[in-house]
Amino acid sequence: MALSELYQKSRSGPFILAGPCVIESREIVLRAATTLAAIADRLGLPLVFKSSFDKANRTSVTSFRGPGMQEGVRLLSEVKAETGLPIVTDIHHPEQAPLVAEVADVLQIPAFLCRQTDLLVAAAKTGKIVNVKKGQFLAPWDMENVVNKLRASGNENIWLTERGVTYGYNNLVVDMRSIPEMRKFDVPVVFDATHSVQLPGGLGKASGGQREYIPVLASAAVAAGANGVFMECHPDPDNAKCDGPNSLPLDAVEALLTRLKALWELNNG
């Protein structure tokens, strides 16, 4: 799918970003990607495969971060060739943007870095879609400044993602008003259904999560007008190396997407 087609589809209809939190192995990412590609084909939903080559903001210094950029981009290139799916992955430094953009269709800016001007400008200048996760510390209307930074850098291919706001210690809460608020900037808005149920640092040296609430929040977000849904999924979340407690089991993805598709159709019926 051409980049322009992907962006236009994201503006006019539902789309999904999904995959394992981090690249653990070639076997896991290919298994997840081929499964997701088949589901997307059956349901007729555009799907972008997501997995990170480096999780730079893990809770503990001993936590698994991923294979690094060089090996990670190679594996994502293999996923793209095998499945035909577009790719989204995180970048953390401006110098990573042009290298990752050689494979990725969408460059994702992590929530903690959403105001980093140099990073935003570097991502924008690749011409790829830039998906910025709203910081847990920002109001939705604050994201207009982020949008303006990207547009001033010559890029109109922008997505914004809601992923919850810090609420007390080790907890997040989602204000669904943020979805229509951010849509006022004339960009597609994504709801991150899995990080929104995360309990940051809730396990001491790792984050916890309440994956049982993923379908509830995802459904509410679609009803509130979300253009797309982001979800991390894994063949065996209880043994995942990153964000397992807030990841959706791979075998539960199709049922949830079927439900969300029906809600999207109801909204636009």
Side-chain angles (χ1 to χ4, degrees):
M1 186 187 302
L3 188 70
S4 59
E5 182 184 359
L6 173 60
Y7 192 71
Q8 286 307 310
K9 282 182 178 290
S10 75
R11 293 186 65 87
S12 61
F15 65 103
I16 306 296
L17 290 74
C21 174
V22 67
I23 299 171
E24 297 180 21
S25 68
R26 176 180 181 274
E27 178 187 2
I28 287 176
V29 292
L30 282 173
R31 177 181 172 187
T34 53
T35 300
L36 291 168
I39 292 170
D41 185 62
R42 284 193 293 272
L43 296 180
L45 288 172
L47 187 141
V48 184
F49 182 76
K50 185 270 172 186
S51 202
S52 299
F53 56 79
D54 181 20
K55 301 299 291 186
N57 61 350
R58 295 299 306 278
T59 304
S60 170
V61 71
T62 60
S63 296
F64 178 77
R65 288 180 53 167
M69 186 175 69
Q70 184 174 353
E71 177 64 7
V73 169
R74 187 190 70 78
L75 288 170
L76 290 173
S77 180
E78 187 175 352
V79 166
K80 192 172 188 176
E82 286 277 332
T83 65
L85 291 174
I87 300 294
V88 55
T89 195
D90 302 294
I91 59 171
H92 297 86
H93 304 285
E95 60 270 21
Q96 292 177 338
L99 299 171
V100 175
E102 293 178 8
V103 171
D105 304 271
V106 184
L107 301 183
Q108 184 162 278
I109 308 299
F112 287 132
L113 301 177
C114 68
R115 292 179 57 175
Q116 295 297 103
T117 302
D118 291 345
L119 183 60
L120 292 167
V121 170
K125 287 185 174 179
T126 66
K128 298 301 180 80
I129 297 171
V130 182
N131 181 35
V132 187
K133 291 197 169 183
K134 180 174 72 64
Q136 301 93 322
F137 45 86
L138 290 180
W141 41 85
D142 293 330
M143 292 299 284
E144 185 173 17
N145 293 317
V146 172
V147 171
N148 290 339
K149 289 179 183 182
L150 295 169
R151 286 177 170 159
S153 303
N155 196 325
E156 294 285 339
N157 300 319
I158 302 164
W159 294 340
L160 298 180
T161 295
E162 168 60 45
R163 51 97 71 233
V165 177
T166 299
Y167 183 76
Y169 298 122
N170 307 119
N171 205 355
L172 298 169
V173 67
V174 178
D175 181 352
M176 292 297 171
R177 293 176 298 179
S178 69
I179 294 169
E181 282 289 338
M182 291 194 292
R183 287 193 62 172
K184 291 177 181 177
F185 310 142
D186 192 30
V187 297
V189 173
V190 179
F191 178 65
D192 184 340
T194 47
H195 286 102
S196 293
V197 300
Q198 188 181 65
L199 301 175
L203 300 180
K205 291 187 177 181
S207 292
Q210 297 173 304
R211 73 170 75 104
E212 65 271 23
Y213 292 119
I214 293 170
V216 176
L217 291 181
S219 300
V222 170
N227 301 81
V229 170
F230 175 108
M231 57 179 68
E232 290 183 341
C233 50
H234 192 282
D236 183 11
D238 289 337
N239 291 297
K241 293 184 179 180
C242 179
D243 280 0
N246 56 270
S247 289
L248 191 69
L250 190 59
D251 61 10
V253 169
E254 186 161 8
L256 177 55
L257 292 188
T258 300
R259 174 178 175 179
L260 297 181
K261 183 182 179 185
L263 286 170
W264 271 309
E265 290 173 348
L266 183 63
N267 273 358
N268 298 305

